Amino acid sequence: MRVPNWPVFLSAMLAIALLPLVFRNGYALHVMILALIYAIFAQAWNLVTGFGGMKTFGHHAFFGMGAYGSALLSIHAGLSPWITIWIAALLTSVAGVLIALPVLRIRSVPHIAIITLAFAEIVRIIVSNLRGITRGELGLIGIPGFDPLNLPVIGLVRFTPAYKLGYFYLAWLVFFVVTAGILLARNSAHGMRVIAMRDGQDAAESLGVNIAAYKIALFFISAFIVGLIGAFYAHYIIVLTPSSVLGVDIMVLVIAMALVGGIGTVAGPIVGAVLLVVSVELMRDLGQYRMLVYGGLIVLSVLYFPNGLASLADRVRQWRRAPDPILQQQDNRS
């Protein structure tokens, strides 16, 4: 069992929390918030695919459902976004369980990929055609931001397009909780059973692992996290269109993040999210041609870093521990 290095984890989280002291302008804060959103999204997808071994291509449906669910509830029911994000996340997690049920009966990777992708496409078409409610590609407007909070010691924290610091620390808090939770879960007995299920489903089942229960639980937790961060995204961006939260390019981006960073690891999706979000901002003028760059990054990472960029630290550590061949040869001669 691999023990988490908690001092390193807490130091990294503290360093991220202090970034706004270095990068103070609004654009830099916006990029950092997007990096946190996608890091959480990629981590949640990695739970099902990287740790659970179920190759799903439809998680962007959960992102869109969380975003539209929370936005519509806050607009039409007049509820605070602080409440609607949790309702939307719970509803999305129920959808996650529903999509997990057919997956339980299927082991073929292409079939799981097609079913989940078809589910996401159905959700996108429904949202696009319910123009009376969602306004389709015209864009859902009038989404309220988070209400300000008056916290002890800190004082009034606002959430407005002109004041992004509150959004940054809220995204950081979700990122901190999700990452710490995944670290704890991965090293628990349940985490070991999930990894055993991924590496050999029949062998794990013969040892008493309840495969169906673990698959449903993974989909429930993963969909909840993605729905929650989708809801956060809606109240941060304030305008939604089906293509902006339900487009297949979002799923391609998340898969690229996990592959480039390191699928099946905790740090990999985070590394990939930071790298690709910054790359997206640098390549914004290329429009849809950015997909070619994503494809190129995936091919290069598979060829030269099959375990992802996060594995570079392990490679360096192994290289430093390896004995010097010249010294070893001299020792053998002596």
Side-chain angles (χ1 to χ4, degrees):
M1 182 181 293
R2 191 173 181 178
V3 180
N5 194 333
W6 290 109
V8 172
F9 168 72
L10 293 174
S11 301
M13 288 294 159
L14 180 63
I16 295 171
L18 295 177
L19 282 176
L21 298 178
V22 181
F23 304 100
R24 294 172 177 269
N25 66 75
Y27 177 70
L29 271 176
H30 173 68
V31 174
M32 288 190 288
I33 292 167
L34 288 181
L36 289 172
I37 289 172
Y38 278 106
I40 296 165
F41 190 164
Q43 281 184 309
W45 179 77
N46 191 43
L47 266 181
V48 174
T49 302
F51 292 114
M54 295 171 282
K55 304 296 185 292
T56 68
F57 286 179
H59 261 53
H60 52 302
F62 303 140
F63 189 73
M65 290 170 71
Y68 271 99
S70 183
L72 291 171
L73 280 171
S74 61
I75 292 172
H76 297 293
L79 297 174
S80 166
W82 292 111
I83 299 172
T84 60
I85 60 171
W86 298 108
I87 298 173
L90 280 173
L91 292 174
T92 306
S93 60
V94 172
V97 171
L98 292 177
I99 195 64
L101 294 177
V103 171
L104 293 178
R105 304 173 64 87
I106 302 171
R107 295 192 180 184
S108 164
V109 172
H111 286 86
I112 293 175
I114 289 171
I115 285 176
T116 51
L117 188 59
F119 166 71
E121 191 60 14
I122 290 170
V123 173
R124 188 192 66 79
I125 291 171
I126 291 174
V127 172
S128 298
N129 286 283
L130 289 176
R131 294 189 181 89
I133 301 173
T134 64
R135 286 171 48 87
E137 287 296 340
L138 291 174
L140 183 64
I141 57 175
I143 304 170
F146 290 100
D147 301 322
L149 292 176
N150 197 0
L151 300 175
V153 180
I154 298 174
L156 188 67
V157 179
R158 291 170 292 174
F159 299 88
T160 67
Y163 192 79
K164 293 184 168 62
L165 206 55
Y167 283 109
F168 173 83
Y169 282 110
L170 184 57
W172 175 86
L173 181 62
V174 177
F175 174 69
F176 177 86
V177 172
V178 168
T179 308
I182 291 173
L183 271 174
L184 286 169
R186 188 198 63 175
N187 295 282
S188 68
H190 294 296
M192 294 298 108
R193 291 186 187 113
V194 168
I195 291 172
M197 179 182 76
R198 177 197 65 188
D199 295 341
Q201 188 167 311
D202 292 333
E205 199 166 17
S206 68
L207 293 172
V209 176
N210 190 335
I211 301 295
Y214 277 104
K215 284 185 175 179
I216 290 174
L218 280 177
F219 264 97
F220 180 88
I221 296 169
S222 178
F224 182 87
I225 295 170
V226 176
L228 182 67
I229 202 60
F232 170 87
Y233 179 84
H235 297 286
Y236 170 60
I237 295 295
I238 296 179
V239 177
L240 291 178
T241 61
S243 58
S244 69
V245 291
L246 288 162
V248 72
D249 55 327
I250 295 174
M251 195 65 247
V252 173
L253 178 59
V254 169
I255 293 172
M257 288 170 178
L259 286 175
V260 170
I263 195 168
T265 65
V266 177
I270 302 170
V271 172
V274 172
L275 180 66
L276 290 189
V277 167
V278 173
S279 301
V280 165
E281 292 305 314
L282 294 175
M283 296 185 297
R284 186 156 292 279
D285 294 338
L286 296 179
Q288 291 300 319
Y289 292 104
R290 290 175 296 175
M291 303 299 284
L292 295 175
V293 180
Y294 300 155
L297 283 171
I298 292 173
V299 171
L300 288 174
S301 67
V302 169
L303 284 176
Y304 298 104
F305 304 101
N307 295 321
L309 294 176
S311 65
L312 279 176
D314 290 334
R315 285 192 185 185
V316 172
R317 204 176 296 119
Q318 288 173 1
W319 175 74
R320 293 179 64 181
R321 288 176 182 171
D324 190 314
I326 298 176
L327 292 176
Q328 194 174 22
Q329 194 174 15
Q330 289 175 347
D331 289 341
N332 292 336
R333 286 176 181 170
S334 63

